Amino acid sequence: LTTKAYIYAGQYEGYSGVYFNSDATCTLATDDYNTIHINRIWDEATRGIRRALIPRMNSRVQIDPETGRIKPSTIADWDAAAKREVEVLLKEGEISDFRFTLDPNQDVIATGKVEVSLAITPQGIAKEIEATIGFTNPAQA
């Protein structure tokens, strides 16, 4: 059932209570959103980026008059705001790492749009533990 992404409750010998076997979301195993915990991290990161960038909506984006590129000071400001929000997930151990990117070569004057990218490296989850157990004979060492 687990390999088919079904969620069911069960017990572990020696432990009281009932536990879910997984947190699958009925998507392909290769999908970025295949588990509940990954979706939760995505949601938290999205809310953080939104909190960081909403105050910049309908604001001026400084453009270098020589190149037409977004000024480094604007990129640094947006970058710092985004990192303040997402670093909370890093400090709490929810994620392993992240990368926020704002490409300076966007034509904000023509499009009125600034595109950013957030790449998150999640923490791993021990869904299975495999142990090798054996005997040793000190006399044969």
Side-chain angles (χ1 to χ4, degrees):
L1 291 174
T2 301
T3 59
K4 298 222 180 262
Y6 284 93
I7 299 175
Y8 55 88
Q11 296 178 313
Y12 293 106
E13 185 179 336
Y15 291 89
S16 61
V18 178
Y19 302 90
F20 288 112
N21 67 310
S22 180
D23 64 344
T25 58
C26 298
T27 59
L28 295 174
T30 56
D31 192 290
D32 278 352
Y33 310 102
N34 66 351
T35 61
I36 293 168
H37 78 274
I38 291 292
N39 279 293
R40 186 179 54 77
I41 291 167
W42 189 94
D43 288 343
E44 287 183 28
T46 300
R47 283 190 293 269
I49 290 296
R50 186 176 189 278
R51 277 191 303 272
L53 300 183
I54 283 289
R56 286 146 180 84
M57 286 291 296
N58 294 317
S59 67
R60 290 185 177 93
V61 176
Q62 300 290 316
I63 303 294
D64 183 318
E66 302 293 319
T67 65
R69 296 173 66 162
I70 300 171
K71 282 191 172 181
S73 59
T74 299
I75 293 171
D77 174 60
W78 288 42
D79 187 65
K83 284 181 178 175
R84 270 192 304 275
E85 290 290 338
V86 182
E87 280 178 349
V88 172
L89 296 174
L90 191 62
K91 288 177 187 170
E92 291 175 350
E94 295 289 334
I95 62 174
S96 296
D97 198 11
F98 71 93
R99 187 178 64 253
F100 177 81
T101 308
L102 191 163
D103 182 5
N105 294 318
Q106 301 175 53
D107 190 352
V108 180
I109 295 171
T111 65
K113 177 171 62 173
V114 177
E115 294 182 17
V116 299
S117 167
L118 177 65
I120 302 167
T121 304
Q123 295 284 14
I125 299 293
K127 295 183 180 195
E128 215 174 286
I129 299 174
E130 186 174 305
T132 302
I133 302 171
F135 292 106
T136 61
N137 183 344
Q140 293 180 355

